[in-house]
Amino acid sequence: MKRFVIIDGNSLLFRAFFAMREMVTRDGIYTQGVFAFINMLNKILEDYHPDYIAVAFDMKAPTFRHTAYPEYKAGRLKTPMELLSQIPLMQEVLQAMNITVLEKEGFEADDLIGTMTAKAADAGLESLIITGDKDALQLVGENTYVVLNRKGMTDFDLYDLEKMQERYGLTPQEFIDLKGLMGDKSDNIPGIPGVGEKKGITLLKEYGSVEGVVAHADEIKGKLGENVRANLEEAELSKWLATIKRDVELPVSWPELAYGEPDYDRLIALYKKLEFKKFLQNLERQTPDEVTVEPEKDLLEGVKEVSYEDLLDSLKNNRTLIIEMDTDDNHKQLPEVKGVRLYNPEQMHYAECTVTPLDFEIRMGSLLDKEPELVGLGLKPMAYTLLQYGMDRFTLHHDVEVAEYLLDPNRSKYNLTNMFLHYANETLDGEDAQKRLMALDCIYRKQLPALEEKGMLSLFRDCEMPLIRTIAGMESQGMKINPEMLKSAGEELDTQIAKLEAEVFEEAGTTFNINSPKQLGEVLFETMGIPYPKKTKGKNKYSTAADVLEKLEEDYPVVSKVLMFRKASKLKSTYVDGLLGLIGSDGRIHPHFNQTVAATGRLSCTEPNLQNIPIRDENGRNIRKAFMVSEPENVFVGSDYSQIELRLMAALSGDPVLLEAFRTGEDIHRLTASRVFDIPMEDVTPLDRSRAKAVNFGVIYGMSGFGLSENLGITRKDAQRYIDDYFEKHQAVKDYLDRQVEIGKENFEVKTIMGRIRQIPEFKSRRYMDQQLAARLAMNSPIQGSAADIIKVAMNKVDAELREREMKSKLVLQIHDELIVEAVPEELEQVEELLRRNMENAVELSVPLDCDMHSGKTWFDLK
DNA sequence: CATATCACG
DNA sequence: ACGTACGTGATATGC
């Protein structure tokens, strides 16, 4: 299918303009919008390979909407002149690129886009609408997609019918009706007062459309009904205003819109005038025989749909099987499975079946008997579901989400449509289940050579893939919670909060919301006249963060009260109420460990985040008492790596002093204090040690003098001296860190000990800040990421050994450098031994990896 | 929906 | 002259 790309010129130029800092040529022409637009356009051309392309613009003249309803878009802020002047400039560039500019008096860009995509559909073309304006979503259709620019310049989301359903629960038509009901403040479309997104959707689900609501207005009860009846005309008008026209007369033909060569002479002249050196260079570098991705052949060609049973019958043992399971990822009760779809690529057989709670286990059983090598996207929910139903014999062979995460860990999400676009250069209709499985197969096959080329095949196969099951096991086991304990802690906190609040109000002489940083700042630094200890950022912008308030604690007792208030409310809302709300029907909490979120390779944890349960604060630590073993006779065993990141720094840099210290079990912070401050080991005071500790952390983070000084509350000069002294005494560390930055600058990526890659695109920027950030990332990521590699290997080993030995103890938590096992009493000693052995021997390093171990009946007791 | 804050490693 | 330590997630507020 040929592809037509149409861009909302105004919308993208706006985004581009505000995403950039100011750019002016020597002649005083403002160019940053045009510059960023061209950047985005290049990316669009590269990503989507259009056959036809056009850019639509609004015109200054009033549109037919203004004529019918003069208040339309009234009250909008004036567009800055610097931006307005860039519209004709942009159009000039587009013309030089031989890209058609569409505009028509009396219509908005949206109407032109609506019209062109309707024409495209008639002509049998696929359309991609690129815009930053959500209103375009009403144009989504069978072969019409909207690519929405969310924020910045590179964050795009592709919407098809399914994605709209998933995101809003609405069809494109309903989207228009919703806007008719709720109106739109930014366009000054009235809608019905009191109807927002929620009520709007309820009304739509009940009556189908604005017309339906109007026809049944009498039936609607209460205040809502009154509002509806009083604003019937407004609703109809609003819908009309919100509807994008799809039949504007536009005299263009497809051949004119064909995407082809630019007018090089004209473009070069323009780029010179605009001082776009980067684009000039790119133009010169471009060769006509650039590699183009071959579009996939028809995905479904040769695929045969068979019954689920037949597919299984003809599936040989231990063969690759693409699988997609509809299961919910809600961990509060037993997951509900709705359907399973399979594709056997060997025979090109596809099958799907709906699943009921009754036949799920039988159907999965007959599938798993074939011991298939399962391939899918985001397999963990399936693994979790199987484990929850007591099925533990399955092999996860390839998860395209996890694979893609290794290839590009900076991404925020990994969805099929985008990946398919990337690997096959084709859009994918998300509703076609059969096609989705073909796409999975296609992506899977293309990821293998990509992983191989990047040297990450072993990391993928031997670490990340087995980890899915390990994690699913932890989630499935979960942790039992004592709700009574949490509730009584909550009541206690409530009294504290009430008391502190009253005291703060008393001293402030006024009541306000202490949880509002804005109000708090105003009360403290204006009403009460407390001098603000930092320079104010902009106008009336006070930070009330703890490190700022702590400077005032001594002189102003209120501030202490505020800090105590904040501590208590944090505990109450996040750790008492938050946790209580996540207890499952089995009395346990089953968190989600996310494997594809953290760019360094770490896991993250959500709903709840059990990786940030309080421990440093004595009061907060008590929360851990509510986490209990699931059987009274069991016991938790916790083991944490001692100083794993500093040990890695020693190993990776080969610094002789650090290596020696870790080999002999020296106190590393004390040693650092002694060397940096030039005092004998035995004279190091606790203060010296704690400062040295901050220096050691700083080394791992790629510290700056400023950062360290902020952290320690010392002058920048002193901080810088510490840093210089440290690097002088540990030249190898300095060399190692410099080398990482060099590698990053060279390759735009750095690696961990197991070959995990993190791209650092910030190195491509020429802004000082980005370069500084890039350097810190290059220094930190290999350390943090290698530590993540190591504990992941250890987790797999621990989990595998527990299962191989058919032990009943279970891994339950990972907290970055720490593992917690819930052990049955008869296995306690074995658990302690195997936990330590597998953690300390996860990898071979030039320093020992020592663990500290603790055990107890509640999480609190692991100290 | 972004921001500020604070919990953890 | 500027803005600055790495990686996460949850909550409340306010536009």
Side-chain angles (χ1 to χ4, degrees):
Chain A
M1 209 172 193
K2 297 250 179 166
R3 182 178 298 153
F4 171 47
V5 166
I6 184 159
I7 299 170
D8 185 330
N10 289 73
S11 161
L12 238 61
L13 190 61
F14 264 62
R15 301 258 165 174
F17 179 81
F18 289 111
M20 288 278 297
R21 73 189 204 313
E22 191 174 274
M23 275 172 75
V24 192
T25 67
R26 264 166 294 177
D27 299 340
I29 311 172
Y30 287 91
T31 57
Q32 84 250 41
V34 177
F35 180 84
F37 192 114
I38 296 172
N39 259 331
M40 288 159 113
L41 185 62
N42 284 337
K43 180 146 178 17
I44 290 163
L45 294 172
E46 199 178 296
D47 284 358
Y48 301 116
H49 300 277
D51 298 295
Y52 302 96
I53 185 165
V55 182
F57 284 90
D58 299 330
M59 288 198 82
K60 264 182 261 160
T63 67
F64 69 96
R65 293 188 180 83
H66 294 93
T67 315
Y69 180 63
E71 291 84 20
Y72 181 65
K73 294 202 173 175
R76 276 214 170 174
L77 288 175
K78 275 237 183 85
T79 312
M81 212 29 233
E82 296 83 344
L83 171 51
L84 275 182
S85 64
Q86 294 186 49
I87 293 176
L89 221 49
M90 191 63 232
Q91 296 183 345
E92 237 184 291
V93 171
L94 289 167
Q95 277 154 10
M97 289 175 157
N98 276 328
I99 292 176
T100 305
V101 169
L102 296 174
E103 50 181 359
K104 179 163 176 156
E105 205 158 294
F107 296 93
E108 295 176 56
D110 272 345
D111 301 309
L112 309 183
I113 292 171
T115 301
M116 287 312 297
T117 52
K119 283 190 184 193
D122 288 343
L125 301 176
E126 166 186 284
S127 297
L128 283 182
I129 301 166
I130 322 269
T131 179
D133 186 349
K134 268 198 274 193
D135 290 343
L137 288 175
Q138 62 176 271
L139 300 174
V140 168
E142 184 93 12
N143 286 310
T144 305
Y145 306 89
V146 168
V147 179
L148 207 56
N149 173 247
R150 293 174 59 75
K151 56 168 188 198
M153 306 207 312
T154 49
D155 198 3
F156 286 95
D157 254 357
L158 190 127
Y159 281 82
D160 57 13
L161 289 168
E162 196 203 30
K163 178 84 188 275
M164 281 195 64
Q165 206 49 243
E166 186 186 305
R167 176 73 180 70
Y168 298 102
L170 295 173
T171 64
Q173 178 57 47
E174 289 171 328
F175 205 79
I176 306 178
D177 284 283
L178 179 64
K179 199 161 160 185
L181 293 173
M182 60 187 270
D184 184 331
K185 229 168 129 192
S186 71
D187 290 347
N188 205 27
I189 297 180
I192 296 172
V195 176
E197 189 173 319
K198 272 225 153 124
K199 281 193 184 141
I201 289 176
T202 322
L203 284 171
L204 272 186
K205 292 293 156 201
E206 180 74 24
Y207 304 108
S209 64
V210 167
E211 289 72 23
V213 173
V214 170
H216 296 93
D218 299 341
E219 302 167 14
I220 305 168
K221 282 174 281 195
K223 184 87 186 143
L224 177 62
E226 278 172 40
N227 277 337
V228 171
R229 284 186 291 278
N231 292 279
L232 295 177
E233 279 176 24
E234 279 79 357
E236 285 178 316
L237 170 70
S238 298
K239 177 174 174 180
W240 181 81
L241 285 171
T243 306
I244 294 174
K245 263 183 100 62
R246 308 204 66 169
D247 54 359
V248 179
E249 235 178 275
L250 274 180
V252 282
S253 65
W254 291 109
E256 297 169 46
L257 301 180
Y259 172 55
E261 290 270 292
D263 179 340
Y264 281 107
D265 292 342
R266 221 175 132 194
L267 201 52
I268 288 170
L270 260 172
Y271 284 173
K272 280 188 178 153
K273 172 177 147 196
L274 300 175
E275 300 173 0
F276 290 166
K277 291 192 195 114
K278 178 182 139 187
F279 297 140
L280 271 174
Q281 282 169 6
N282 289 349
L283 272 186
E284 281 155 17
R285 249 183 288 166
Q286 256 170 31
T287 48
D289 53 53
E290 219 180 298
V291 231
T292 49
V293 186
E294 276 294 307
E296 283 300 296
K297 279 197 240 112
D298 184 2
L299 269 188
L300 298 181
E301 202 177 292
V303 174
K304 193 173 155 209
E305 178 155 4
V306 299
S307 75
Y308 187 82
E309 289 74 17
D310 285 351
L311 189 146
L312 289 190
D313 282 344
S314 63
L315 178 68
K316 302 197 187 81
N317 274 353
N318 305 305
R319 293 309 163 95
T320 302
L321 186 65
I322 319 291
I323 187 166
E324 194 171 51
M325 179 188 278
D326 294 330
T327 182
D328 65 79
D329 206 13
N330 167 2
H331 286 188
K332 285 182 67 176
Q333 64 262 324
L334 195 63
E336 189 189 343
V337 181
K338 295 223 174 77
V340 177
R341 286 174 292 281
L342 305 174
Y343 174 57
N344 171 358
E346 209 170 321
Q347 292 168 312
M348 300 184 77
H349 281 176
Y350 168 83
E352 56 187 31
C353 75
T354 50
V355 174
T356 65
L358 289 173
D359 64 4
F360 172 61
E361 289 176 59
I362 297 166
R363 285 194 178 276
M364 283 317 290
S366 58
L367 168 62
L368 297 182
D369 283 345
K370 296 280 184 176
E371 300 181 6
E373 311 232 295
L374 297 168
V375 174
L377 178 139
L379 290 170
K380 201 194 64 193
M382 177 177 82
Y384 175 85
T385 303
L386 290 171
L387 291 175
Q388 284 278 297
Y389 279 88
M391 289 175 263
D392 62 354
R393 288 184 32 237
F394 52 82
T395 310
L396 305 181
H397 182 247
H398 186 111
D399 187 324
V400 298
E401 176 178 345
V402 173
E404 197 63 17
Y405 165 69
L406 287 188
L407 291 166
D408 185 5
N410 281 321
R411 287 247 297 275
S412 57
K413 54 183 177 285
Y414 300 88
N415 63 48
L416 193 58
T417 323
N418 286 346
M419 283 168 64
F420 192 53
L421 197 63
H422 176 239
Y423 283 104
N425 187 31
E426 271 202 70
T427 50
L428 180 75
D429 178 359
E431 277 178 291
D432 190 332
Q434 193 172 338
K435 263 197 172 165
R436 274 213 306 274
L437 268 70
M438 310 304 121
L440 275 171
D441 185 37
C442 165
I443 294 165
Y444 152 57
R445 283 165 210 289
K446 296 194 174 191
Q447 281 176 331
L448 289 175
L451 287 166
E452 166 86 74
E453 193 205 317
K454 287 287 194 179
M456 291 195 289
L457 211 47
S458 161
L459 175 68
F460 178 66
R461 288 204 172 137
D462 306 330
C463 178
E464 296 291 342
M465 280 311 299
L467 189 68
I468 299 173
R469 196 219 146 86
T470 303
I471 290 175
M474 291 161 46
E475 293 179 354
S476 179
Q477 174 69 13
M479 276 184 120
K480 196 172 166 189
I481 288 279
N482 182 344
E484 302 313 321
M485 183 164 282
L486 279 181
K487 279 178 201 150
S488 68
E491 284 163 23
E492 166 78 13
L493 283 167
D494 274 335
T495 17
Q496 279 181 37
I497 289 168
K499 186 157 171 271
L500 287 164
E501 186 184 49
E503 287 169 4
V504 171
F505 289 170
E506 166 85 37
E507 296 193 47
T510 167
T511 62
F512 62 102
N513 187 342
I514 309 177
N515 273 322
S516 160
K518 189 166 179 276
Q519 295 180 35
L520 178 61
E522 282 162 11
V523 169
L524 289 180
F525 304 119
E526 286 173 13
T527 316
M528 300 186 63
I530 297 176
Y532 185 63
K534 279 173 69 168
K535 50 184 175 199
T536 55
K537 278 201 179 169
K539 238 179 137 186
N540 291 349
K541 282 209 164 137
Y542 310 107
S543 166
T544 65
D547 59 338
V548 177
L549 296 192
E550 274 159 15
K551 295 180 182 154
L552 303 165
E553 264 192 291
E554 276 188 52
D555 298 326
Y556 304 93
V558 220
V559 176
S560 293
K561 298 257 162 70
V562 168
L563 287 168
M564 285 160 74
F565 173 91
R566 276 229 277 250
K567 272 235 148 68
S569 5
K570 177 87 180 176
L571 279 180
K572 176 69 165 53
S573 61
T574 305
Y575 297 107
V576 174
D577 298 342
L579 283 176
L580 282 171
L582 288 164
I583 300 176
S585 50
D586 57 359
R588 301 184 194 207
I589 281 188
H590 302 273
H592 297 71
F593 283 99
N594 205 317
Q595 202 177 341
T596 60
V597 167
T600 49
R602 275 191 177 180
L603 297 181
S604 89
C605 184
T606 51
E607 282 181 290
N609 180 357
L610 294 188
Q611 292 180 322
N612 73 349
I613 302 299
I615 186 165
R616 298 173 194 165
D617 180 75
E618 201 171 328
N619 218 349
R621 188 179 244 197
N622 287 320
I623 298 289
R624 295 184 173 221
K625 289 180 177 160
F627 290 80
M628 322 183 296
V629 282
S630 55
E631 302 295 335
E633 65 275 17
N634 289 356
V635 60
F636 287 130
V637 181
S639 173
D640 65 288
Y641 282 115
S642 151
Q643 309 290 2
I644 186 166
E645 293 190 343
L646 283 174
R647 283 172 198 259
L648 276 164
M649 183 60 88
L652 291 171
S653 70
D655 185 273
V657 181
L658 292 182
L659 286 176
E660 176 65 14
F662 283 122
R663 284 176 187 152
T664 56
E666 191 60 74
D667 175 342
I668 194 69
H669 300 315
R670 173 176 287 263
L671 177 78
T672 299
S674 157
R675 291 174 65 80
V676 172
F677 308 140
D678 201 19
I679 39 183
M681 281 292 271
E682 57 273 18
D683 291 352
V684 172
T685 65
L687 179 66
D688 295 332
R689 186 180 181 282
S690 99
R691 288 185 169 181
K693 191 172 171 180
V695 172
N696 280 330
F697 273 110
V699 173
I700 292 167
Y701 295 155
M703 72 183 154
S704 65
F706 179 87
L708 184 66
S709 71
E710 280 292 289
N711 188 289
L712 283 178
I714 59 178
T715 67
R716 264 189 71 170
K717 217 174 134 204
D718 286 345
Q720 192 55 52
R721 219 188 51 236
Y722 290 175
I723 294 172
D724 294 343
D725 288 350
Y726 181 92
F727 284 135
E728 197 181 309
K729 300 263 164 66
H730 299 281
Q731 191 59 45
V733 174
K734 174 92 176 108
D735 291 345
Y736 167 76
L737 293 174
D738 287 349
R739 178 82 191 116
Q740 291 310 305
V741 175
E742 245 177 72
I743 292 171
K745 278 190 176 138
E746 181 90 356
N747 308 326
F748 304 115
E749 63 185 38
V750 290
K751 291 185 184 181
T752 66
I753 49 171
M754 293 188 56
R756 180 190 306 279
I757 289 172
R758 175 176 189 179
Q759 287 90 343
I760 308 181
E762 287 82 355
F763 273 123
K764 291 178 184 161
S765 161
R766 46 183 185 62
R767 291 164 59 176
Y768 176 77
M769 270 240 288
D770 290 345
Q771 285 290 324
Q772 292 299 302
L773 174 65
R776 294 195 299 269
L777 296 178
M779 293 187 259
N780 174 265
S781 300
I783 303 286
Q784 193 182 119
S786 298
D789 292 350
I790 291 170
I791 197 159
K792 282 177 167 179
V793 168
M795 289 166 70
N796 283 332
K797 288 189 171 188
V798 167
D799 189 62
E801 184 167 342
L802 286 171
R803 288 191 286 121
E804 274 157 23
R805 292 167 64 177
E806 297 187 347
M807 293 167 73
K808 297 198 195 75
S809 306
K810 298 262 199 282
L811 195 54
V812 290
L813 282 186
Q814 186 254 44
I815 311 145
H816 308 306
D817 64 353
E818 176 182 9
L819 297 181
I820 297 179
V821 171
E822 179 173 346
V824 297
E826 61 273 24
E827 294 171 0
L828 180 54
E829 277 182 33
Q830 301 165 61
V831 165
E832 286 175 336
E833 188 274 330
L834 80 83
L835 195 53
R836 183 184 289 278
R837 170 165 44 79
N838 284 310
M839 284 178 77
E840 294 188 345
N841 299 304
V843 294
E844 184 67 37
L845 282 184
S846 52
V847 282
L849 283 174
D850 293 341
C851 288
D852 296 321
M853 300 193 54
H854 306 277
S855 58
K857 287 283 176 191
T858 76
W859 192 0
F860 178 87
D861 303 311
L862 298 186
K863 58 181 161 59

